[in-house]
Amino acid sequence: MKMKNTIKNIQNNIIKYIGIGIISGLTLINTTKAQNNTTQNNTKQHKPPTEIIQEGDNIIIPEHKLEEFMKNYKPKTNNTKKIQKTTLEEYIKDGYITDALTTQPIQGIETKLLLYDFITLIDTIGPVQTNSEGYYTFTITGIKDQKETKNIGTIKYNTINTPTIELNLKTPSKVQIKIYDQLGQEIKTLLNEETKQKTINININNLTNGIYILQTTINGKQYNNKILKTGQKYNYGKTQEQITETTTKTIEKTTEQLLIAREFQDPNNQYHTYSDSDVEPYAENISKDFTLIPRIQLENPITDPEYPIIPNINTIRDLLWYGGRVQGYWNYQQHGKTQYPIKIYIDSSNAPTGGITSARNIIQYFQDSLNIHPDSLIQETPINIEPNFNNGISAMKIIWTDSTQTYGYNSVLTYIYSSSHDVFIGGEIYIDTNKVTTTENIEKYIALNIQRYITGLVNPINNQNYLQYTTAGNRIGPTKRPNNDEKKLIKIGRNHKPYYTNRLGP
């Protein structure tokens, strides 16, 4: 079954994340034409807000308020039409999985569904594997309802002297224990046998410092824990875990909604594991697209003393978490909701010498270096377009101004958000021509602010090899071009279907 892209998400509290995207493409215009359009369209005085404000459907968010917005905003309730069919007979779950860098379909990804009656797990279906075109399909003809859950044992994690795992089970069970690194690569198997009670030493003294994942599988059910190695000291994420067993029976449900969680795992370990969930109505056919993040080592790894949870930011997945760190160490969330293509209007009023050429140089650079079809990414436009969801594009402006309008900063960025559609539809870049006087710095600020809008990264990257790095004073770094890691980050953002960063597994 091919994707129809018809799914409507009716969960009210999960879409509050910033989209990551990408830029490219160019439509050259001459300066005279730009000036003529400026006279016709640039009649209002542009001044970026200092607070989050709402104008009709649009929410205008100054850059320094973006983190606050991400933390606190909740989308409007989606009042979907009531589903007439309330009795489950046959329910088909269809999906499509692609690579976040190439958009190519991925074959052989294991996909399973976990079905919840809102809170209670009532069935697990699968896994099935995606075919050569990246599609998977589940057909559900019955729902299992929970009958009884029993406590059948515990796992204790000890760190006295040598780290150990202590198993205490009521009956002999098939147990497998493995250790993985942060990339999800298996390091060793610690146990693979049927047992009831056992203490297993975890000898990782010869491994480098960092976070490792312990995966214990008991009768096919997985239990995961983190262990942080610092020299000869070890700290677990949790110290004890209850082992449970659920007995179920099949009945027919008559409720109108079902919480469906999906889990994706690549047996070849080339992609990160991923989980996602939605509240969805019963219907014959529901479909949804996903993309998976490849396991990619950073060319420019980051060590940030102010970011102690991951000692080293080594992978693209780490960079996604690190760049979106807005809600506490383990609650980083990012949602890809940005309209494309992005059309940028370069305001010629008050443009400094070389300013328009510099803006075009940046657009041209992104077009030439990212290897993505330019028409779907970024274009220059001679028309001053007001942001509106119904335009089907993101409308951005580059505006030349002075210190009285940028509140003392060399440049200011604002985001424009459609509250009815939960998507970013535009933004404005203000460049202070009194302070930014060289074409080199003009290009730096334009490139940085365009990338900020597209990636939605709230916090700077603490590594001078990144365009996203900024100093505290003038809010700009040493480079005017994104490095290869940032290019991959931008590609992932443009190509992915919506995902939540904190649901990416190791």
Side-chain angles (χ1 to χ4, degrees), residues 394-407:
S394 275
M396 292 193 73
K397 299 182 184 71
I398 297 175
I399 301 168
W400 318 99
T401 182
D402 57 34
S403 302
T404 63
Q405 293 184 312
T406 55
Y407 314 110

Side-chain angles (χ1 to χ4, degrees), residues 186-203:
E186 182 179 338
I187 295 175
K188 64 172 71 173
T189 297
L190 303 176
L191 184 70
N192 188 10
E193 64 182 53
E194 185 171 292
T195 186
K196 180 179 178 182
Q197 293 181 325
K198 199 173 188 73
T199 299
I200 301 95
N201 290 331
I202 304 171
N203 185 2

